[in-house]
Amino acid sequence: MLAAPINPADINQIQGTYPLKPSLPAVGGNEGVGEVIETGKDVQNLNTGDQVILRADQCLGSWCRHLVVSEDQVLKIPNGLPMEAAATVSVNPCTAFRLLKDFEDLQPGDTVIQNGANSSVGQALIQIAAAWGLITVNIIRSRPNVEELKNHLKDLGANFVITEEDLKSPEMKEIVKNIKRPKLALNCVGGKSSMSLFRYLAPKGTMVTYGGMSRQPVTVPTGSLIFDDVNVRGFWMSKWNAEHQKDAIKLNMVEEVCQLVQNGQLASPPCTKHALKNFKTAISEALRPYSKTKQLLIMTEILQDSFLLNSCRRCFLRRTSQKKSSKRKVKMK
């Protein structure tokens, strides 16, 4: 393994509140990038030196230095992507990609409104939408240095950024006058924040919930259902991945997302890098409110502690011997 991020879902999994639960004992982490260092003789599509990402629905445990996996548990990506982008490409950008693709037939000039726009999914969505010619209205919570955050999102391609507190302001009324009513509303917050999205959603439009950061239920206004006939949907990227493990649609999605990165249309999230041995600090930082960066574990530093080195070696050899019966395995670092 080369690098792996700490995502909110990883924390929830450790806490026992995430639907995907690995067999215990388990290693944390579900996303990351690795380099193939050895392949079984029957492996067909991977070679030594290839860079691969983990299939994020497999509970493989990415917070480690080495993995032995089956060929179908990883996806090849282009070599040379920035480390931060390669390590974080499979969850948040792909979630944003599917949210924009799967619920409404969006055309250039159409409008999408989202809350939690400063989240990693929200920032990826802003960039992908801009690349596809879509207009985004982005809602964030007020916070210290909110203008700095607004400018950052606009630099990514956001057309409009407004705080939840200002949704009823003249600024929002002016925005609504100058855009098509959104066909798609995206909710990762819940509670009052999700209710406000219905106020701007076009008739027969779709509101998709993919997160619940406020831990408050989503309440749908009766008028939106009766008079506007809106659609209310949910989306979970892990379930989508499980249903499309070997589909061309998944491979094409990853290729297209990587192409956006290579074209400079999709930047990796700002990351704070941590040596793997400092994982406790990284997790503590990931739990802080209003964090401005994603915490990224870097696996390539040299271990100084001989005890840890020997433990890792024993663990790797044990796992390798357990997998030896299959010749379709891939060893990664």
Side-chain angles (χ1 to χ4, degrees):
M1 292 298 295
L2 300 175
I6 298 175
N7 290 321
D10 300 326
I11 302 297
N12 294 154
Q13 193 172 67
I14 293 168
Q15 293 167 334
T17 60
Y18 198 67
L20 282 181
K21 293 179 173 63
S23 300
L24 298 177
V27 175
N30 291 282
E31 183 181 25
V33 61
E35 178 185 333
V36 176
I37 58 173
E38 188 178 343
T39 62
K41 70 175 185 179
D42 293 331
V43 171
Q44 298 177 356
N45 300 309
L46 293 172
N47 297 295
T48 301
D50 285 345
Q51 286 198 357
V52 296
I53 55 175
L54 306 184
R55 292 184 182 269
D57 60 311
Q58 298 283 326
C59 297
L60 295 174
S62 61
W63 299 348
C64 62
R65 289 190 175 82
H66 295 90
L67 274 174
V68 181
V69 297
S70 298
E71 183 178 11
D72 61 2
Q73 291 179 310
V74 294
L75 288 174
K76 183 179 176 180
I77 62 171
N79 284 6
L81 291 183
M83 177 78 74
E84 295 89 341
T88 59
V89 75
S90 64
V91 175
N92 296 320
C94 290
T95 299
F97 188 100
R98 296 261 61 93
L99 289 170
L100 292 172
K101 278 281 189 183
D102 291 352
F103 297 95
E104 288 286 344
D105 181 19
L106 298 173
Q107 302 298 321
D110 285 341
T111 303
V112 177
I113 187 170
Q114 66 165 339
N115 61 21
N118 58 298
S119 68
S120 295
V121 172
Q123 293 189 50
L125 190 139
I126 287 169
Q127 296 173 81
I128 296 171
W132 293 349
L134 304 174
I135 307 300
T136 57
V137 178
N138 303 279
I139 302 168
I140 58 175
R141 290 182 296 169
S142 186
R143 66 195 63 211
N145 302 319
V146 69
E147 292 302 321
E148 179 182 340
L149 176 57
K150 286 183 176 182
N151 290 333
H152 170 66
L153 297 181
K154 289 178 180 178
D155 288 342
L156 293 179
N159 300 94
F160 306 99
V161 184
I162 193 164
T163 65
E164 291 181 349
E165 294 77 8
D166 290 335
L167 282 175
K168 296 181 180 180
S169 69
E171 180 184 358
M172 188 62 185
K173 292 179 181 178
E174 191 64 28
I175 290 172
V176 172
K177 287 180 183 178
N178 293 291
I179 60 172
K180 294 180 181 179
R181 287 189 70 176
K183 296 170 66 174
L184 181 64
L186 302 172
N187 165 52
C188 68
V189 180
K192 292 181 180 179
S193 179
S194 60
M195 275 199 68
S196 66
L197 295 176
F198 289 104
R199 186 181 302 123
Y200 304 103
L201 189 60
K204 295 186 181 295
T206 301
M207 202 273 271
V208 184
T209 293
Y210 68 95
M213 291 190 294
S214 71
R215 300 186 179 180
Q216 298 297 316
V218 174
T219 303
V220 185
T222 303
S224 295
L225 287 175
I226 296 175
F227 305 120
D228 291 333
D229 192 21
V230 298
N231 302 296
V232 182
R233 301 285 304 275
F235 180 73
W236 184 26
M237 191 68 205
S238 294
K239 182 179 181 181
W240 188 94
N241 280 326
E243 293 173 347
H244 297 271
Q245 285 188 25
K246 299 180 181 180
D247 291 3
I249 188 173
K250 179 167 184 175
L251 298 176
N252 293 338
M253 173 186 67
V254 173
E255 288 179 4
E256 190 167 345
V257 170
C258 289
Q259 190 64 56
L260 289 170
V261 174
Q262 291 176 314
N263 292 345
Q265 295 172 296
L266 178 60
S268 59
C271 293
T272 299
K273 298 178 182 178
H274 303 266
L276 180 59
K277 63 184 178 183
N278 297 327
F279 70 93
K280 290 184 180 180
T281 300
I283 292 174
S284 296
E285 289 296 313
L287 290 169
R288 290 179 59 185
Y290 299 122
S291 177
K292 294 181 179 180
T293 63
K294 183 176 286 292
Q295 309 308 308
L296 188 67
L297 297 172
I298 304 298
M299 315 306 182
T300 53
E301 84 281 359
I302 298 174
L303 284 171
Q304 300 296 326
D305 191 314
S306 60
F307 173 79
L308 285 176
L309 180 59
N310 290 332
S311 296
C312 287
R313 183 182 293 114
R314 286 195 299 270
C315 179
F316 180 62
L317 291 174
R318 182 171 65 251
R319 292 172 70 178
T320 302
S321 65
Q322 290 170 350
K323 305 288 185 177
K324 222 168 185 179
S325 58
S326 172
K327 295 178 181 178
R328 296 185 63 85
K329 298 297 182 180
V330 177
K331 294 180 186 177
M332 295 161 50
K333 70 173 181 180

